[in-house]
Amino acid sequence: MHDLVQYFREKQLEKSTETTMKTRCPYCSMQCSMDLIEERVETRNRFKVKPNKNDPTSEGRLCIKGTFAHQHAINEERVHFPLMKLDGEFVRVPWELTFEMIANQMKSLQKEYGHNSVAVYGGGSLTNEEAYLLGKFARVALKTKYIDYNGRFCMSAAAFAANATFGIDRGLTNPLSEIEDSKCIILAGTNLAECQPTMLPYFKRAKKNGAKIIVIDPRKTLTAKQADIHVQIIPGMDGVFAIGLLKVMVEEGLVNYDFVKDQTDGFFEAEQRVKEISYSSIKKLTGVKLETIFEVARLFATSKTGMIFTARGVEQHANGQENVRHFLNLLLATGKIGKHACGYGAITGQGNGQGGREHGQKADQLPGYRSIENESDREYVANVWGVSPAELPRKGVSAYELFEKIDKGEIKAMVVMGSNPIVSNPNAIFVENCLKKLELLVVVDMFQSETARFAHFLLPSSSYLEDEGTMTNLEGRVVYRHAERKLPGETKHDWQILCHLAEALGVKQGFRFANSEDIFNELRIASKGGKADYSGITYENIKEKGVFWPCPEQSKGTPLLFETGFFTSNKRANFLTNFDIPEKAKVDDEYPLILTTGRLMEHYLTGVQTRRSKQLVERSLEAFVEIHPETAKHQQIIDGDLVAISSRNGSAILKARLTELIREDVIFAPFHWGDLHSVNRIFPPIFDPNCYMPQFKQVSVKVGPVMKIQKDAIFQSTIN
Ligand code: SF4
């Protein structure tokens, strides 16, 4: 008997094979590194993940999203062949014919309506190489000025604020490893315990070392539960709260005047302005007790070291960049910047939200964070690309404005790569209708996303397991991602698709690359001398631990920024001196509540990938809205009811989840679902005029059981 068992065991072993793939989670900006072990036993594949303990950012941790990320890459719904829409149905077409048909239609549209009739829409999850090539493709192959990307909705406010204050936009000014030495940490509008779970232990360590943690959030989130002080603020009033902190610092003599005089501009004007604002108005607007404002201000100012982190809760407002700058004012006023354990962090959402905004996907940017409107920047990049500076288009418009251009008939065709704008834009019904108006919509994606459904061509792209390249994590650390799985079916990498399309358009020069490293080497040259200088980074020197940019040639990178001054022309940082108070969402009898939105631990962005992961869906299947029990009682809603949330702009249907962890005047919904459950249909197109960040964090709404709401409202927002 024993021999027989042994025999079958050996037989089994003979038939099983094991492959270990070194990879990184494709989701958030932590870019956690892991080994994915694929075991083939007989006809079945089993997967195991082993976090990489040597990864300096994740320190051997993985969250649930990373653990099950591979499930979307092997999902049977993945598109494996190029598809073309014929009589309302997708049919399979050969690649060569696909490229030819797309290029012919683009050429004929451009001949009739000009180069700018074709637009490009990118994403913050693309590798640096692909984001770089997408920008080059738009400007050189299509010669269009219309390119922008979904990072507009993620990082634009923090990026604008950091550029205006420090002269450079890198998410974190310090490596994560310094957090544990920081003695007072403000986490404003971030639920990192769910959005970047592997980052949380850095703050827990700081707390263990004696740090005070202050979390500002309208909800008692998992992050807020870690706080020494939870400031349960009214949505949109974070900047006002920061003004309150500065006022206390100024009036109680807690300002670091030596630092302010030596290294900053604008403080004395800010000081004057902040004195003119009354504590009573700050209290009324924020909904926060004055004792709390005084306590937080004193704590932060008197702590030896301190850091401030902001995320979308602060940034996704019509005055998002100013909200951030009010927090940066606090760092400047206390001199807590440019030193160990003192600094700022904009917690990037998307996997490559950082690198994706440095190398040319943005409407006004060229690689290396160069400006498309600056003559010497244009000349430098044109030279690298082998075109004349005059040929390079000028600045285009922001992501949402591209849809307005479609609506007006200026844009006739669009290439969407790695993004799902129908779900991620505000005023989502309008965006859907605009996409339907296009004469040509080419979507490059792994799945038939809500946006891809309307595509004339759907081009299948590679997943994170197949696509080699570099990503820049939230620290500003450029890291390498292996590709260890074969491309399935006829899928191609995004960069290959761009090269083929360029060739079909008749632009061969500048689009012949053997592999992603080839593209990276060109990016290095194109970024050389720019603010985001990658010229000293090679695939070889980032394989172990990554390298922080800026990294000019011969350098080892820059983990801590501003040790030798800021990146502005005079090397001094700038205070925000505009203290105009932003408007609160106007609630009234008809729309009495404020809706705010956010993310869940189980899902990423619009859920196209995570909703195709069995284990993640099992844990978080349905769209929902959090309502305080008192509020629910007034509206006759019970837990589990299907409710309609309506603003003056649109409606969505969600399941009610009653919780006392939220303010009574606020409701919260995640934005990971599409169609009827898309909360972005509710938000009107209101933007920060400086950076075009949409106002996703506050809108006045009404909520009621589905049967009670006006059917017209739903009908209009779903059938249009
Ligand atoms: Fe790490 Fe973020 Fe992926 Fe979670 S989602 S495993 S924190 S990269």
Side-chain angles (χ1 to χ4, degrees):
M1 182 63 185
H2 179 78
D3 287 350
L4 205 58
V5 170
Q6 187 64 19
Y7 170 81
F8 279 115
R9 256 196 206 134
E10 278 165 13
K11 270 291 182 223
Q12 178 86 353
L13 278 175
E14 270 173 28
K15 286 181 184 170
S16 76
T17 54
E18 201 177 88
T19 318
T20 299
M21 292 169 265
K22 290 202 172 308
T23 188
R24 289 183 184 277
C25 170
Y27 298 132
C28 88
S29 53
M30 287 293 284
Q31 285 299 295
C32 303
S33 156
M34 67 181 124
D35 283 352
L36 176 68
I37 301 145
E38 183 174 6
E39 194 187 1
R40 188 160 180 87
V41 184
E42 306 253 296
T43 54
R44 287 184 308 121
N45 282 14
R46 279 203 302 242
F47 290 87
K48 285 184 284 187
V49 288
K50 206 163 119 205
N52 176 7
K53 288 201 171 62
N54 296 320
D55 178 15
T57 306
S58 66
E59 301 178 318
R61 295 182 287 273
L62 267 186
C63 79
I64 188 168
K65 276 199 286 283
T67 306
F68 297 111
H70 60 276
Q71 291 182 338
H72 84 263
I74 57 166
N75 189 290
E76 59 189 20
E77 285 179 36
R78 243 185 104 174
V79 185
H80 282 177
F81 306 97
L83 301 173
M84 182 177 90
K85 190 78 71 51
L86 214 56
D87 298 328
E89 298 287 329
F90 276 124
V91 294
R92 188 173 158 181
V93 264
W95 272 114
E96 215 170 306
L97 186 60
T98 304
F99 291 130
E100 197 184 317
M101 285 191 288
I102 294 171
N104 284 345
Q105 202 173 343
M106 283 175 170
K107 282 195 273 190
S108 101
L109 285 169
Q110 287 190 316
K111 195 168 170 206
E112 194 172 350
Y113 303 105
H115 286 129
N116 295 327
S117 61
V118 182
V120 174
Y121 192 105
S125 299
L126 304 178
T127 61
N128 286 321
E129 293 78 355
E130 285 158 347
Y132 164 79
L133 201 62
L134 192 64
K136 182 178 179 184
F137 172 79
R139 276 74 178 235
V140 175
L142 287 173
K143 300 182 175 60
T144 179
K145 67 176 176 180
Y146 289 136
I147 173 169
D148 209 56
Y149 78 127
N150 65 12
R152 189 62 76 167
F153 310 145
C154 184
M155 297 311 298
S156 60
F160 189 97
N163 273 321
T165 307
F166 307 133
I168 195 168
D169 155 38
R170 194 183 84 184
L172 264 64
T173 57
N174 312 49
L176 285 173
S177 57
E178 293 187 12
I179 291 172
E180 65 183 37
D181 295 329
S182 193
K183 295 299 171 208
C184 186
I185 297 167
I186 295 179
L187 297 170
T190 164
N191 183 12
L192 59 94
E194 289 207 59
C195 302
Q196 291 83 12
T198 60
M199 192 180 174
L200 189 64
Y202 285 104
F203 297 95
K204 286 187 169 174
R205 270 207 308 265
K207 207 170 163 177
K208 229 176 175 179
N209 293 342
K212 294 286 181 213
I213 311 265
I214 295 129
V215 173
I216 306 167
D217 200 302
R219 299 165 64 220
K220 195 165 176 79
T221 59
L222 283 179
T223 312
K225 285 179 186 166
Q226 307 293 326
D228 295 282
I229 302 172
H230 174 209
V231 181
Q232 201 160 9
I233 198 165
I234 293 173
M237 293 299 114
D238 310 76
V240 180
F241 179 75
I243 291 173
L245 300 185
L246 184 65
K247 185 173 173 67
V248 177
M249 291 174 190
V250 164
E251 295 186 354
E252 295 202 350
L254 300 172
V255 171
N256 181 340
Y257 282 95
D258 287 343
F259 180 86
V260 160
K261 281 184 206 151
D262 289 351
Q263 301 199 42
T264 72
D265 285 327
F267 171 74
F268 295 101
E269 199 183 336
E271 184 184 41
Q272 195 50 42
R273 294 295 321 276
V274 81
K275 283 181 181 168
E276 291 161 11
I277 298 169
S278 72
Y279 282 122
S280 58
S281 67
I282 293 170
K283 181 182 166 188
K284 193 167 163 217
L285 286 162
T286 57
V288 179
K289 288 187 212 149
L290 285 183
E291 299 91 274
T292 309
I293 297 174
F294 277 88
E295 188 185 357
V296 174
R298 289 169 190 152
L299 253 178
F300 191 77
T302 57
S303 293
K304 203 166 158 230
T305 51
M307 296 178 93
I308 296 179
F309 295 82
T310 68
R312 308 308 83 74
V314 170
E315 300 157 12
Q316 287 178 329
H317 294 281
N319 64 330
Q321 62 89 16
E322 286 186 354
N323 279 345
V324 176
R325 290 197 68 189
H326 283 303
F327 282 97
L328 300 185
N329 273 359
L330 302 175
L331 292 173
L332 302 183
T334 56
K336 289 186 168 64
I337 186 85
K339 293 187 285 209
H340 180 82
C342 291
Y344 170 61
I347 304 180
T348 313
Q350 298 192 69
N352 199 25
Q354 179 70 57
R357 69 183 187 268
E358 295 165 9
H359 299 297
Q361 277 190 91
K362 244 176 118 196
D364 57 354
Q365 263 178 16
L366 290 171
Y369 233 123
R370 286 186 158 89
S371 164
I372 204 160
E373 291 297 330
N374 177 295
E375 297 311 319
S376 62
D377 285 353
R378 290 171 64 82
E379 196 178 330
Y380 179 81
V381 175
N383 198 25
V384 176
W385 286 350
V387 296
S388 96
E391 279 177 66
L392 282 183
R394 293 273 166 181
K395 177 175 146 181
V397 297
S398 73
Y400 181 83
E401 290 172 295
L402 291 175
F403 298 104
E404 293 179 328
K405 298 273 176 205
I406 296 172
D407 191 46
K408 288 186 187 133
E410 281 177 55
I411 292 174
K412 304 282 184 191
M414 182 179 260
V415 178
V416 176
M417 180 168 270
S419 197
N420 188 15
I422 279 184
V423 184
S424 59
N425 271 261
N427 204 15
I429 292 283
F430 169 78
V431 171
E432 184 173 319
N433 289 333
C434 289
L435 287 177
K436 285 182 200 161
K437 285 184 182 176
L438 285 170
E439 291 186 30
L440 174 67
L441 173 60
V442 179
V443 173
V444 183
D445 207 314
M446 284 184 282
F447 297 102
Q448 253 191 63
S449 66
E450 285 82 356
T451 302
R453 279 187 218 149
F454 297 100
H456 299 100
F457 290 91
L458 173 52
L459 312 186
S461 61
S462 50
S463 80
Y464 74 110
L465 291 176
E466 301 127 21
D467 194 19
E468 181 190 34
T470 62
M471 308 285 274
T472 305
N473 77 6
L474 81 173
E475 297 176 289
R477 190 194 294 262
V478 185
V479 296
Y480 172 77
R481 185 175 75 193
H482 295 257
E484 306 220 33
R485 216 161 189 261
K486 273 199 210 141
L487 284 165
E490 290 183 10
T491 56
K492 286 187 189 295
H493 301 304
D494 292 337
W495 66 265
Q496 290 175 319
I497 291 170
L498 293 174
C499 290
H500 284 295
L501 261 180
E503 190 169 342
L505 286 162
V507 185
K508 292 179 189 159
Q509 198 200 332
F511 289 91
R512 286 201 174 128
F513 297 98
N515 50 39
S516 63
E517 189 170 8
D518 243 14
I519 305 169
F520 188 75
N521 285 334
E522 187 179 294
L523 180 161
R524 290 173 58 203
I525 300 167
S527 73
K528 188 175 174 175
K531 281 185 178 168
D533 190 333
Y534 279 36
S535 59
I537 303 175
T538 64
Y539 271 24
E540 216 37 58
N541 69 14
I542 56 172
K543 275 193 178 150
E544 274 286 296
K545 308 262 176 203
V547 169
F548 288 81
W549 72 266
C551 182
E553 272 172 313
Q554 318 292 334
S555 125
K556 288 203 160 81
T558 318
L560 173 61
L561 291 177
F562 316 139
E563 279 185 293
T564 56
F566 295 98
F567 284 69
T568 50
S569 52
N570 64 1
K571 291 197 169 276
R572 294 165 71 83
N574 296 311
F575 269 88
L576 174 67
T577 54
N578 179 13
F579 281 64
D580 291 347
I581 299 293
E583 283 204 7
K584 259 207 286 198
K586 281 198 182 75
V587 290
D588 52 31
D589 289 346
E590 199 182 350
Y591 296 93
L593 298 166
I594 301 173
L595 167 70
T596 193
T597 60
R599 302 164 190 232
L600 303 176
M601 191 184 291
E602 295 82 1
H603 290 292
Y604 178 67
L605 302 186
T606 62
V608 173
Q609 293 158 62
T610 47
R611 282 188 278 117
R612 288 179 170 87
S613 184
K614 186 170 167 280
Q615 254 82 3
L616 298 177
V617 169
E618 272 172 13
R619 282 167 173 83
S620 177
L621 173 69
E622 297 172 312
F624 64 88
V625 55
E626 284 184 0
I627 309 174
H628 192 281
E630 283 302 315
T631 313
K633 201 156 78 186
H634 287 303
Q635 309 297 331
Q636 297 170 349
I637 292 166
I638 57 170
D639 195 54
D641 265 1
L642 217 47
V643 296
I645 317 289
S646 307
S647 70
R648 288 185 174 84
N649 195 72
S651 302
I653 293 183
L654 306 163
K655 209 164 211 182
R657 196 178 277 184
L658 306 196
T659 172
E660 288 181 348
L661 302 178
I662 193 159
R663 292 176 60 99
E664 285 183 34
D665 50 1
V666 176
I667 60 174
F668 164 85
F671 76 99
H672 305 298
W673 283 268
D675 300 324
L676 268 178
H677 312 302
S678 165
V679 287
N680 285 346
R681 294 175 170 210
I682 301 173
F683 285 90
I686 297 174
F687 299 88
D688 184 315
N690 295 290
C691 58
Y692 294 93
M693 169 67 91
Q695 178 154 291
F696 279 134
K697 290 293 189 252
Q698 51 164 332
V699 61
S700 51
V701 292
K702 60 184 169 187
V703 53
V706 167
M707 297 310 293
K708 280 192 176 176
I709 63 148
Q710 296 161 340
K711 280 186 189 142
D712 287 353
I714 297 185
F715 193 72
Q716 202 185 357
S717 66
T718 55
I719 309 298
N720 255 347

